[in-house]
């Protein structure tokens, strides 16, 4: 993927991450944020952290996310981040299980890599029925691989 190993490390240091869910009181959100911070390669720069826009904005402020990158819903976040020159490379989905498919689909269709708390879908049949773009685009993989599949920085 990279010709120069130093470039690979530098590129990893620039990964911008968004999060859907994982807001106030969420244990899984806290765990994902702590994991992302372990090696200083990832920075949470955008999010829709709660269904309530005020709670989401409060969480964004607590995490140091700029107000214009705190979103009221995941669909707006996917569209806006895909359109930004400095948009997110990866979104972490930390929402209730029954919401994973639609959220993942929105980000994958926007060209943004996805790391999703399991399960992605309730059943294999549901995943196939939804025709998740990931199955064709190869953008959803186990977490270590997903972290390297975002848009390449220029």
């Amino acid at each position: 993927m990279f010709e120069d190993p130093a470039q690979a490390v530098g590129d990893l240091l620039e990964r911008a991450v968004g999060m859907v869910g994982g807001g106030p009181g969420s244990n899984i959100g806290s765990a994902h944020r702590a994991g992302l911070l372990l090696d200083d390669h990832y920075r949470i720069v955008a999010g829709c952290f709660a269904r309530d826009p005020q709670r989401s904005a409060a969480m964004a402020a607590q995490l140091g996310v700029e107000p214009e990158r705190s979103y009221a819903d995941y669909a707006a976040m996917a569209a806006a981040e895909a359109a930004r020159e400095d948009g997110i490379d990866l979104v972490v989905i930390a929402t209730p299980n029954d919401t994973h498919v639609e959220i993942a689909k929105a980000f994958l269709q926007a060209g943004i890599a996805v790391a999703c708390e399991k399960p992605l879908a309730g059943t294999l049949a549901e995943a196939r029925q939804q025709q998740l773009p990931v199955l064709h685009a190869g953008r959803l993989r186990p977490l270590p691989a997903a972290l390297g599949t975002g848009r390449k920085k220029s």
Side-chain angles (χ1 to χ4, degrees), residues 36-128:
L36 288 167
L37 296 174
L38 284 176
D39 59 12
D40 293 327
H41 289 187
Y42 307 95
R43 203 168 32 97
I44 297 174
V45 299
C48 175
F49 301 101
R51 291 181 182 151
D52 176 86
Q54 291 178 329
R55 289 184 68 208
S56 184
M59 187 70 180
Q62 180 182 338
L63 295 173
V65 172
E66 297 295 324
E68 68 272 9
R69 294 182 85 176
S70 173
Y71 299 93
D73 66 76
Y74 72 85
M77 179 179 164
E81 290 296 318
R84 291 178 67 105
E85 183 67 30
D86 64 345
I88 59 173
D89 298 299
L90 168 74
V91 66
V92 175
I93 300 173
T95 61
N97 294 349
D98 64 345
T99 65
H100 291 175
V101 170
E102 287 306 313
I103 296 170
K105 195 172 184 179
F107 283 91
L108 291 165
Q109 288 174 334
I112 297 170
V114 170
C116 185
E117 188 62 32
K118 64 181 189 228
L120 177 60
T123 65
L124 179 58
E126 179 185 352
R128 286 184 175 148

Side-chain angles (χ1 to χ4, degrees), residues 2 4-15 40-41 153:
F2 296 100
D4 177 8
Q7 177 188 2
V9 172
D11 193 48
L12 286 174
L13 293 174
E14 298 175 7
R15 293 293 184 203
D40 293 327
H41 289 187
K153 302 285 184 187

